[in-house]
Every structure is written in structure tokens, then in C-alpha cells.
Amino acid sequence: MQDKEISLAVIQRLPRYYRYLGELLENDVVRISSKELSERMKVTASQIRQDLNNFGGFGQQGYGYNVEYLYTEIGKILGLDKCYNVIIIGAGNLGQALANYTDFERRGFIIKGIFDVNPRLEGISIRGTEIHMIDELEEFVKNNTIHIAALTIPKLKAPAIAKELAKLGIKAIWNFAPIDLNLPKDVMVENVHLAESLMRLSYNLKALEESNTEE
Ligand code: NAI
């Protein structure tokens, strides 16, 4: 349905639209104007119109947006109408937290397996998903269609495992290890670094404190 390239900035805003529209749907809201949506989301109505016009203008003059339609269409654009199989490498604090989070499944991300090197974790299940030893990875990936691998292992271990995952044909890495991964171009890496997000908060807090002392 898209005949033009959508900018990365718009794509990055879509999950937030999706979340708001999901909440509206849960509250049985059938339609919403760009003005109302803008007040809720604290972005300008013109930004909303511009963003959503990228997808062929789901809105109608004087009617607003059909919430369910827009939610479904944005879901399709984000690929959420499909299911993706995920493995988690590293069953420590973070890996187990991801595996315990049920909302990913609701969005179509199915955790198929968890891998670790620690023999004490072997065979333990987290919400029904078994922890395997890392030497079973190759066979597991060959026997199951895996779309995404989450990396929740120590940073120095991450590059080698990422390389192996790429060799096994995995095309999407959700990287939580605080290290840049150099992988073939056809492998996409999405880095998630909570510490960087905290640093942005700290920068803004510092700026606020400085402006308060200047007053
Ligand atoms: P953790 O020490 O609790 O867990 C790491 C797990 O990885 C352990 O179970 C260990 O046995 C396993 N492991 C080590 N080498 C492995 C290998 N080659 N293959 C498979 N498993 C292996 O650590 P935690 O707190 O869960 O953190 C994991 C990673 O995530 C670290 O790199 C940490 O810096 C990072 N992290 C990133 C965050 C983010 O915002 N991106 C937030 C918190 C942690």
C-alpha cells in the first residue's frame, strides 16, 4: 500500500500512535479527530496529520480517524499482523525478565527458546520456555524458524555470538549488550540501551538545575 519511502522519524513515532490507539480501542472509542489525538499525545495536530497522511490519509474531513482501522493499518505497517519467533541468548537477570514479560506475545513475538552457558540453568523453564545450553543453538536454529535473537549476555561475549547467529541465518538481532556489533549488512541490529536513555534524563535534569540557579 505504500508507494513512497516513509522517513525513519515517522516510523519511530508509529509505535506511540499504535499504543494510544490501542488504549482508545480498549475504551471503545470509535473515532477521534487529529485535534483530540494531539491533545492526548501532546504533539501538534498538524504533525499527526502529516504523519498519518504518509499512509494514504486514513482520516476524513469532519469525521476524524476511525480508531480501529488506523490501529489495524499501523499494526500492519509495523509488521504486527505477523508472528515472529524469538530466541533469547543469556538467561540471566535481563534475559529472564524479557522471557517473563507476557506483552511481547500479545504483539506477536513468540519466545521459542532461551540459551545460556551456565549448566545450572539447563532444563529450567521460564513461562513454559526451556533454557537450553548454548551448544544446542545451531541445531535449534536449523530445526526452528527463528526471526529475531535477543542478546542479553555480557558485552565481551556478544560479538562472537552475534557472528554465529548471523552465520546461522538470523537476520534480526535485538542487542541489549552495551557494545556495537559489526555484522554483515543484511543483518539488522536494534540496540536497546537503557543507560543511554538515563543519560538523556540526566542531561535534561542538569539543564533544568542550571536554568533554576540562573534565575
Ligand atoms: P547476568 O549476568 O544476570 O546474565 C548474563 C547471562 O549470560 C548469564 O546467565 C550467563 O551465564 C550468560 N552467558 C554468558 N556468556 C554466554 C554465552 N557465550 N552464551 C550464552 N549465555 C552466556 O547479566 P544481566 O544483568 O542479565 O545483563 C546481561 C547483559 O545485558 C549485559 O551485557 C548487560 O550489560 C546488559 N544489560 C543491558 C541493559 C540495556 O539497557 N541494554 C540493561 C541491563 C543489562
Side-chain angles (χ1 to χ4, degrees):
M1 66 174 296
Q2 296 149 223
D3 48 12
K4 65 173 175 175
E5 190 98 349
I6 300 164
S7 80
L8 192 60
V10 177
I11 306 274
Q12 281 175 345
R13 285 196 287 271
L14 287 185
R16 189 155 178 262
Y17 285 117
Y18 189 74
R19 178 160 55 83
Y20 270 85
L21 290 162
E23 280 169 14
L24 290 170
L25 258 189
E26 274 167 22
N27 292 316
D28 299 320
V29 177
V30 176
R31 65 183 163 125
I32 190 158
S33 66
S34 46
K35 186 167 171 280
E36 275 175 275
L37 193 56
S38 114
E39 279 158 12
R40 279 174 185 259
M41 293 184 63
K42 311 253 185 300
V43 283
T44 64
S46 84
Q47 166 104 81
I48 289 182
R49 281 193 296 268
Q50 254 179 44
D51 281 351
L52 302 181
N53 277 347
N54 275 291
F55 315 113
F58 299 134
Q60 262 174 32
Q61 197 92 43
Y63 175 88
Y65 295 101
N66 178 315
V67 174
E68 189 173 0
Y69 180 72
L70 194 52
Y71 179 79
T72 311
E73 290 303 309
I74 291 181
K76 281 190 208 160
I77 291 159
L78 291 172
L80 299 176
D81 54 334
K82 300 189 176 74
C83 275
Y84 296 100
N85 292 336
V86 180
I87 52 173
I88 297 175
I89 316 288
N93 290 312
L94 187 56
Q96 293 204 20
L98 292 181
N100 271 314
Y101 187 54
T102 50
D103 217 42
F104 296 135
E105 267 144 36
R106 229 165 45 87
R107 303 252 179 258
F109 299 97
I110 316 295
I111 297 169
K112 286 288 184 186
I114 309 169
F115 294 84
D116 205 288
V117 283
N118 183 349
R120 275 186 294 172
L121 296 171
E122 185 168 14
I124 293 176
S125 283
I126 302 179
R127 277 198 323 109
T129 309
E130 195 183 329
I131 302 178
H132 302 268
M133 289 297 92
I134 197 76
D135 54 12
E136 296 167 39
L137 179 69
E138 181 171 350
E139 201 173 327
F140 189 92
V141 172
K142 281 183 181 156
N143 293 334
N144 295 275
T145 304
I146 302 299
H147 303 99
I148 301 172
L151 278 190
T152 51
I153 50 178
K155 71 172 183 181
L156 296 179
K157 310 281 178 190
I161 293 279
K163 224 166 137 189
E164 188 182 341
L165 290 164
K167 232 165 79 190
L168 292 173
I170 293 198
K171 297 285 179 236
I173 308 259
W174 196 22
N175 177 38
F176 289 83
I179 191 161
D180 293 334
L181 302 173
N182 291 313
L183 294 171
K185 279 207 172 65
D186 63 338
V187 179
M188 56 192 110
V189 178
E190 176 68 28
N191 294 302
V192 186
H193 297 319
L194 300 183
E196 289 178 8
S197 168
L198 262 183
M199 284 177 217
R200 282 191 286 276
L201 265 187
S202 101
Y203 169 82
N204 287 324
L205 272 178
K206 187 178 128 236
L208 180 70
E209 281 162 13
E210 281 168 6
S211 80
N212 284 345
T213 50
E214 274 163 24
E215 275 165 17

